[in-house]
Amino acid sequence: RHTHTQTHMESALFAKARPLDTPAVDSKTHTKSPTVTGSSVLGIKYNGGVLIGCDTLASYGSLARYEEISRIHKLSDRCVFAATGEYSDFQFLSEHLDTLVLRDFTTDDGATIDPSEVHQYVSRVLYNRRNKFDPLWNYVVVAGCSVSGSSDDETRTPFLGVTDLVGTTYADDMAATGFGNHIAMPLLRRHTDRAGGTQGLTREAARSVLEEALTVLFYRDCRTLARVQVADIPLDGPATVSEPYTLQTSWDVGLYRPA
């Protein structure tokens, strides 16, 4: 027979119990999958700088929810970055890098943070978050103008680097993330090879190639729009990010052709 004390202890024990699917009050939450996402980012060097471009759509799952967002962020006159993936993580990374650039400016030591240093820093941030099993769900493209040498003998070279969500990095003459890595990269390589390398590409030719690749992505990727932004980082001037504009498209092919 249960005593009063045993009954009281059992009641207290079951009162503290909770269903297994109910999280503890102090539990941590982690992003298990991106929610609002942006698609491909493309980049290409030319003989006087580097261009990056992407569309302005942020999809909520498969819903084309936000059609006028910017996924290109200008950090300084010599550095711009853009991202594929979770938009809120892109916003977090933008604020984080703005703080880094501001700290570098207020140090006032005569040195300016280089795009290649931003690229390496982003890779460490993403790798750190990956090790916490709470990654920033982004593929990040950093583009800019790297400066080396003294002020009297300064050398400027275009820089273009990519970092994925686990911190893997590479730098190249061309870059593409998301579906663009499969669809757009062959187009970028073909036009660059025909020009004899990036040194044979003018700004106008590089922009034309970029817009052609973004147009093909609009045709082939259901998570894109024909409305895009392009950032230009020249070696002889400040970086600029264009206002959103609409690509010229045509569906007069195959079964889409009107009778």
Side-chain angles (χ1 to χ4, degrees):
R1 188 177 66 177
H2 290 289
T3 64
H4 175 73
T5 302
Q6 288 175 320
T7 304
H8 178 73
M9 291 177 62
E10 289 173 358
S11 299
L13 177 63
F14 286 111
K16 292 182 180 180
R18 63 176 184 271
L20 294 177
D21 59 349
T22 303
V25 175
D26 59 347
S27 65
K28 294 182 179 179
T29 58
H30 299 283
T31 303
K32 294 179 179 165
S33 63
T35 304
V36 178
T37 59
S39 190
S40 307
V41 175
L42 309 180
I44 187 170
K45 294 180 183 178
Y46 62 91
N47 57 15
V50 57
L51 294 171
I52 59 173
C54 62
D55 68 292
T56 62
L57 176 67
S59 301
Y60 181 74
S62 60
L63 174 67
R65 179 64 181 84
Y66 306 101
E67 298 184 358
E68 198 74 13
I69 59 98
S70 176
R71 291 187 288 122
I72 299 178
H73 187 73
K74 181 179 175 180
L75 291 173
S76 68
D77 285 341
R78 293 199 293 113
C79 185
V80 172
F81 89 100
T84 294
E86 173 62 45
Y87 191 67
S88 63
D89 288 343
F90 167 73
Q91 291 174 311
F92 167 81
L93 200 55
S94 298
E95 293 178 0
H96 189 73
L97 292 178
D98 281 340
T99 302
L100 177 71
V101 172
L102 179 61
R103 187 183 301 120
D104 176 70
F105 175 77
T106 55
T107 302
D108 196 22
D109 59 356
T112 304
I113 191 167
D114 195 77
S116 61
E117 295 170 336
V118 174
H119 171 65
Q120 292 297 329
Y121 182 81
V122 168
S123 75
R124 296 306 87 200
V125 171
L126 295 181
Y127 182 70
N128 174 263
R129 290 292 295 264
R130 172 255 192 181
N131 286 342
K132 293 179 179 180
F133 294 91
D134 187 20
L136 297 174
W137 289 78
N138 293 125
Y139 285 72
V140 179
V141 178
V142 177
C145 169
S146 290
V147 179
S148 59
S150 63
S151 57
D152 297 329
D153 187 22
E154 189 176 83
T155 302
R156 292 176 172 246
T157 55
F159 176 84
L160 184 62
V162 180
T163 305
D164 69 10
L165 76 167
V166 297
T168 306
T169 68
Y170 71 89
D172 203 353
D173 291 339
M174 292 154 285
T177 63
F179 201 39
N181 201 29
H182 306 280
I183 299 295
M185 187 61 84
L187 296 173
L188 301 180
R189 286 175 177 158
R190 183 182 66 185
H191 285 285
T192 302
D193 290 343
R194 286 178 177 176
T198 55
Q199 288 303 311
L201 283 175
T202 63
R203 178 189 284 111
E204 292 74 20
R207 184 159 187 147
S208 177
V209 171
L210 201 64
E211 290 180 346
E212 179 187 342
L214 289 169
T215 303
V216 172
L217 280 173
F218 170 65
Y219 291 147
R220 300 294 182 181
D221 187 357
C222 61
R223 300 290 182 272
T224 61
L225 286 180
R227 196 157 175 78
V228 300
Q229 276 186 294
V230 174
D232 180 18
I233 309 95
L235 300 181
D236 56 356
T240 57
V241 181
S242 73
E243 292 296 321
Y245 64 96
T246 303
L247 297 170
Q248 295 296 320
T249 59
S250 173
W251 293 97
D252 290 339
V253 293
L255 297 177
Y256 294 101
R257 185 175 299 161

